[in-house]
Structures are given as C-alpha cells and as structure tokens.
Amino acid sequence: MSEDKLTKPEAIIFDMDGTLFETETLLVRVHQRLFETLREEKLYLNETPPVDKLLSCLGMLLEDIWRQIMPDSSEAARRRADVLMLQYELEGLEAGEGELYPYVEQTLAALKERGVKLFVASNGLEAYVKGVALHKGIAALFDGLYSAGEYGTSSKVDLVAKLLSDHGVGPAWMVGDRSSDVEAGKGNGLTTIGCAYASYGKRNELEDADVLLSDFRELIDRYDQASIS
C-alpha cells in the first residue's frame, strides 16, 4: 500500500454497498423475505442460507452471488431471486429502511462544495443503485450513477472505463470496500481508496489500495492535503 502524497482529483468515484450504504441495515430483512417466498413458490426447498454469506458476496454481479449462496438451485430459482431481491429492496427503501454510513451525506456535500465531481459505480441493478441514492437523499450530489445493471458491463473495470469516457474525467479517485473496486481503479489508472470500516469483505481485499479509510470523513482531509498535479 502506498501512502505517498496524493494528487488532487477532478472526480471521485464511489462504490455503493459497503462504501456509502450500510447494506445489512436493509438486506437482512430482504434476505429473509426472499427465501421465504422461494420456498412458498417451491423454487428452493433448502433452509435459508446465512445472511452473512450474502453480505460477503456484495460487490459481485447478481448471477455470481446466487451461484455462491445457493449453488444447487435451478436457473428458474435464480431468475426469481433476481426479481424478488430488487422488489423487496425497493419496498424496504420506500419504507425508510436502510442507512448510509455515518457522515456520508455531509462528506459528499463538502467535497461537492470544493468542486469535485462525484460519481457512483456499482455492480448492482440500476433501480437499486438509483433507489438508494434517491431515498437516502444524496442523488442530487452526484454527476452520474453508473451500474452494471444499466450498462450491462461484465466487470467493474469496464464500468468505470465507460464512466470516465462518458464524462471526460481527468485525475480521479476510486473509493470502495472490495477487491473489485481496487481492481477497477488500478485498471483505469486511478488512485484507489479502500474503505476499511466496512465489514463485508476480507481485510486483505484492500491490501493493494493506495490509502485506507477508517472513517468516511477522512476523505475531506485527504482531498485538502492532496497536491495539485
């Protein structure tokens, strides 16, 4: 991990789950409802997998998540799980469930005031990513909300590349909690910031990040102390 002086970014790109949004505050109930419904519909008859298994898969594409947590399921069960996951997530968000990590809204607003362009790049579904931003009151702070669900990308490297190309972004930071975020940043020549406060991944996933955050507010100091290229 490099702790060298950072270059001040024109833009900062954020992952959503485990970075801005404390996903288990929504997903525990969603997970329970989803598997209850699959059993009611006779699509999956095993016991509900531990929710920690689902949380550990956050950052993956949905199709990969289902292969991990219910490998013996049918294709029909996995397709139905896709539908139920989104339905129950959106219902939960509309009901006020789910929380941002502490100081996320204030920190994003402070960065925006400094003239930084803010983006989200997530492997989640379009309606979910935009739903979190909308219902948690942070949508207006972003210059773009990018999701694998909207653009059909097969990796976060490709999603971030599209974002950078679309917006003509120069120096940028990639902020996230999983190895896929570090890879997306490194694969596009960006400074990578690892969110060590999230509990979903393994700590060694972030060992190649340039900087680790233990508190989201540290981003402001990092930005203010960064040198102008």
Side-chain angles (χ1 to χ4, degrees):
M1 185 182 305
S2 169
E3 286 286 352
D4 295 337
K5 185 77 170 178
L6 301 179
T7 299
K8 204 173 288 290
E10 175 186 323
I12 302 179
I13 304 166
F14 298 90
D15 174 48
M16 180 63 84
D17 291 319
T19 299
L20 303 177
F21 188 57
E22 195 170 359
T23 316
E24 72 263 32
T25 59
L26 173 69
L27 209 56
V28 169
R29 176 62 180 144
V30 168
H31 179 79
Q32 179 184 345
R33 290 183 68 194
L34 186 153
F35 280 95
E36 286 174 355
T37 301
L38 287 180
R39 280 194 295 271
E40 288 170 3
E41 296 177 355
K42 311 298 185 188
L43 287 170
Y44 188 78
L45 301 179
N46 296 342
E47 292 185 5
T48 300
V51 70
D52 287 346
K53 195 167 185 180
L54 175 59
L55 293 171
S56 72
C57 292
L58 292 177
M60 296 180 182
L61 297 170
L62 264 184
E63 60 191 72
D64 297 325
I65 289 177
W66 301 131
R67 289 194 186 99
Q68 287 286 328
I69 68 173
M70 47 179 191
D72 53 348
S73 64
S74 65
E75 182 64 28
R78 292 195 290 270
R79 286 199 305 268
R80 181 63 172 146
D82 284 347
V83 173
L84 292 172
M85 176 86 115
L86 181 59
Q87 176 187 334
Y88 293 159
E89 285 173 338
L90 293 179
E91 288 176 1
L93 288 168
E94 289 168 5
E97 297 172 13
E99 300 292 338
L100 298 173
Y101 280 102
Y103 310 110
V104 162
E105 184 174 0
Q106 301 94 314
T107 300
L108 293 176
L111 291 167
K112 191 75 173 176
E113 288 171 1
R114 286 160 168 77
V116 186
K117 295 177 182 177
L118 305 178
F119 297 92
V120 166
S122 167
N123 274 337
L125 295 174
E126 177 185 4
Y128 168 73
V129 173
K130 292 180 177 178
V132 171
L134 175 66
H135 288 289
K136 296 307 157 189
I138 57 174
L141 295 170
F142 292 102
D143 293 83
L145 299 168
Y146 277 62
S147 62
E150 180 172 4
Y151 293 104
T153 48
S154 58
S155 75
K156 189 166 279 191
V157 175
D158 294 340
L159 183 64
V160 170
K162 176 169 177 53
L163 186 162
L164 295 171
S165 175
D166 287 353
H167 292 271
V169 171
W173 294 355
M174 179 72 214
V175 181
D177 68 306
R178 303 304 300 266
S179 59
S180 58
D181 300 309
V182 178
E183 290 163 5
K186 298 289 186 185
N188 286 285
L190 310 182
T191 296
T192 54
I193 313 288
C195 299
Y197 52 79
S199 59
Y200 311 138
K202 298 175 181 176
R203 184 62 177 257
N204 63 7
E205 287 194 64
L206 299 174
E207 61 187 5
D208 291 329
D210 296 308
V211 172
L212 288 182
L213 302 179
S214 58
D215 184 304
F216 198 74
R217 289 172 293 182
E218 293 171 19
L219 262 181
I220 298 173
D221 288 338
R222 291 289 185 179
Y223 178 82
D224 289 345
Q225 293 165 12
S227 61
I228 299 174
S229 59

